[in-house]
Amino acid sequence: MKKSLFLMSSLILSTSIILGGCGKSADETKKDDEPKKTQEEKGQAKDKDKVEKEESKKDQESIKGSADFASLISYMEKETQGKTKVLFENNESQVHKMEKVSISLDAYSVVELKDFHTDFNIPFGEQTNGGVILAKYTVKNDMDKDVYYMPSLDLTFTGANKIYTNDKDLIPEESQLPTKLGYKTDYLLKAGEEITGYIAYPFGETDLAKINELGTVTVEVPKPYTEKENYSSTLGSDGRFNLALNRDGSKKVASDSSFYQDKVTLDNMGEKKMLKEKSDINESKKIGDVNAILEGYQFTQFTPNEVEAPRFSNFTNGVTLLTVKFKLENKATSEIGLSAMTSKLSVNDGMQYSLSEGMLLNYKYNDVIKAGETGELLQVFALDQEQYEKIWKDKSFEVELGPIRDKDVKDTSKGKKETFTLPK
């Protein structure tokens, strides 16, 4: 990095010697000025040295990264014969709890890696310039029994052509989380145990440019198991970490935290702008053996990004999204399959209706609310923005929820449904 330059200017004094007049002689003037000039020069030199040291320190930090990542970056640079530069770092922890098991993203560093050996180019899309996201994770078991955890912390972003996973050749093997908690250890996380390790996600320069423009990426957090290789013995629910990659990304992550976490928000599908919201409604209705509680709703103006725009091509007048939040108390003997739940929105005093959009929800097949447990259900509706603004927004909205279904889409509430009117 180019260091700041200090331009030193000398004060040139013109002294007129007038014979027989008052004042100092040229020799006297020179003697008086010399100490003053020397003092100024010393002060400027001292200031210059101080600033240069500070900038040198900043340069070193930007090249090598924080203490968490400095040794890893040095290793990666030496191993790949490439040149590194830290582009962005974040040390604010994110935690996802799965009952008494938790995983935290403690810190991460976005590192540019250029001109590296071709032996390493395959995970970089066969390019020899790119970047690496180094992430530090801690997995903790606060239960009084062992669990099993596979740290397949896959990274993705809007428009990604593949899933990004750990590259075992970029950082020391003994520091990698999949080494400390992997197949050699049977993925065993003992009662009371805590394991910290790193994952390196590589990107070619093409994908690095994409994620820098998006500003954010996400990491999928899987659930632990209470029994070895028994994939039905899971605890809690899957989670996500949102990673900002630059200042704009940090602003995006901060603003998105105020929105319900539907797929639009979680996958950074575009920009949301809050139009109207209401929370703490807490209206409860019974659907079979399930108490459905309307907790709140959000109307947002939505502008899809370039990647997602084709999905919304039918909305020529803009898109308004309605996201409705329910709490479901499952008092039945069967599970509730979140991905199988649907609803209907009636607008314009019942003259028009819209069905919930499953593609805008983040639920997977195995996302359920077990018998006897309580969980959240989001439902999303896509509306024509112009009609919303001109016709619908001041009229009543009714959401019909049900029937209750399990993950195999089997009706478990005998066709029962309930209608909720969204309060203004």
Side-chain angles (χ1 to χ4, degrees):
M1 183 181 291
K2 185 183 292 184
K3 293 187 172 72
S4 301
L5 299 178
F6 286 81
L7 301 177
M8 299 179 59
S9 58
S10 299
L11 181 62
I12 301 174
L13 299 177
S14 299
T15 306
S16 299
I17 302 175
I18 305 175
L19 293 174
C22 299
K24 298 177 181 178
S25 68
D27 288 341
E28 288 175 326
T29 301
K30 184 177 180 181
K31 287 178 182 178
D32 286 348
D33 284 351
E34 279 181 351
K36 183 177 180 181
K37 185 175 181 182
T38 303
Q39 190 67 26
E40 288 173 354
E41 287 177 345
K42 285 181 179 178
Q44 289 176 339
K46 186 176 180 181
D47 290 343
K48 178 180 179 181
D49 184 57
K50 181 179 178 182
V51 173
E52 285 184 344
K53 283 182 179 178
E54 288 176 352
E55 295 206 351
S56 177
K57 183 179 178 182
K58 289 179 181 178
D59 288 349
Q60 188 68 20
E61 287 175 350
S62 69
I63 293 170
K64 296 301 180 185
S66 69
D68 272 334
F69 302 104
S71 62
L72 300 183
I73 294 171
S74 294
Y75 178 95
M76 183 168 61
E77 189 172 59
K78 183 178 179 181
E79 193 74 7
T80 65
Q81 300 176 35
K83 298 176 182 178
T84 60
K85 177 183 177 182
V86 174
L87 302 177
F88 187 79
E89 283 195 351
N90 190 308
N91 297 307
E92 295 180 9
S93 178
Q94 300 181 47
V95 182
H96 179 64
K97 294 183 178 181
M98 299 156 287
E99 296 189 19
K100 290 188 177 181
V101 178
S102 66
I103 179 167
S104 62
L105 170 61
D106 303 322
Y108 62 90
S109 182
V110 185
V111 185
E112 181 182 68
L113 180 62
K114 300 183 73 174
D115 193 27
F116 51 85
H117 197 287
T118 56
D119 285 351
F120 294 86
N121 69 7
I122 292 177
F124 291 87
E126 299 188 352
Q127 297 175 321
T128 53
N129 288 312
V132 179
I133 295 178
L134 297 173
K136 179 184 178 183
Y137 296 102
T138 297
V139 188
K140 188 177 181 182
N141 180 11
D142 285 325
M143 298 182 69
D144 56 5
K145 62 180 181 179
D146 300 344
V147 298
Y148 299 86
Y149 194 76
M150 185 182 297
S152 53
L153 298 156
D154 297 337
L155 184 149
T156 188
F157 58 90
T158 302
N161 296 318
K162 66 173 186 176
I163 297 296
Y164 294 82
T165 58
N166 180 54
D167 188 288
K168 62 184 180 63
D169 297 320
L170 293 174
I171 58 177
E173 187 175 358
E174 64 272 14
S175 69
Q176 298 175 29
L177 183 60
T179 300
K180 297 181 177 183
L181 192 56
Y183 71 92
K184 290 182 179 179
T185 65
D186 289 329
Y187 304 102
L188 177 64
L189 187 64
K190 296 178 181 178
E193 188 175 20
E194 179 179 308
I195 296 177
T196 296
Y198 296 84
I199 287 181
Y201 303 98
F203 299 85
E205 61 182 335
T206 302
D207 283 350
L208 182 64
K210 286 181 184 177
I211 62 176
N212 275 328
E213 184 176 352
L214 287 169
T216 66
V217 295
T218 60
V219 170
E220 304 279 355
V221 180
K223 299 179 287 239
Y225 303 94
T226 57
E227 299 174 25
K228 184 179 178 180
E229 297 180 355
N230 182 355
Y231 302 121
S232 62
S233 65
T234 57
L235 290 174
S237 59
D238 293 330
R240 281 193 173 198
F241 293 135
N242 294 318
L243 285 66
L245 306 181
N246 47 43
R247 290 182 180 179
D248 288 341
S250 296
K251 292 177 183 177
K252 173 72 173 170
V253 170
S255 65
D256 282 353
S257 64
S258 63
F259 299 116
Y260 291 150
Q261 301 299 290
D262 52 29
K263 192 175 182 67
V264 174
T265 301
L266 289 170
D267 283 2
N268 190 15
M269 296 173 69
E271 296 292 331
K272 277 185 174 182
K273 177 183 177 183
M274 192 74 75
L275 298 175
K276 181 181 180 181
E277 66 175 331
K278 195 170 185 67
S279 57
D280 299 322
I281 298 171
N282 297 325
E283 180 185 0
S284 178
K285 294 190 178 185
K286 195 171 183 181
I287 306 175
D289 293 324
V290 174
N291 288 334
I293 303 164
L294 172 63
E295 291 198 321
Y297 65 82
Q298 293 179 339
F299 284 96
T300 55
Q301 180 179 319
F302 174 60
T303 305
N305 58 36
E306 184 178 350
V307 174
E308 300 295 341
R311 290 194 186 196
F312 300 89
S313 58
N314 291 334
F315 293 87
T316 56
N317 299 313
V319 185
T320 294
L321 297 179
L322 167 62
T323 306
V324 185
K325 181 180 178 182
F326 293 96
K327 181 168 69 176
L328 301 182
E329 297 175 345
N330 188 7
K331 299 182 180 299
T333 57
S334 56
E335 66 191 14
I336 300 172
L338 296 176
S339 64
M341 291 294 296
T342 58
S343 56
K344 183 175 80 171
L345 175 70
S346 296
V347 298
N348 197 17
D349 298 325
M351 295 178 65
Q352 296 163 283
Y353 72 89
S354 176
L355 299 178
S356 56
E357 295 283 354
M359 75 169 189
L360 301 182
L361 293 169
N362 199 46
Y363 300 129
K364 300 173 184 176
Y365 173 74
N366 286 322
D367 290 334
V368 300
I369 301 174
K370 296 177 181 178
E373 297 185 358
T374 297
E376 177 187 279
L377 172 71
L378 296 179
Q379 295 287 276
V380 183
F381 304 90
L383 309 172
D384 180 274
Q385 183 179 325
E386 186 175 49
Q387 291 190 66
Y388 170 78
E389 292 290 344
K390 293 183 177 179
I391 304 173
W392 300 337
K393 71 176 182 179
D394 295 322
K395 296 187 178 181
S396 63
F397 289 80
E398 294 183 339
V399 178
E400 179 186 85
L401 182 65
I404 304 297
R405 301 182 186 276
D406 64 16
K407 65 181 181 181
D408 294 318
V409 201
K410 180 183 176 182
D411 179 356
T412 61
S413 64
K414 300 179 182 179
K416 292 182 175 64
K417 304 176 183 179
E418 283 294 340
T419 299
F420 297 82
T421 300
L422 303 186
K424 296 181 180 180

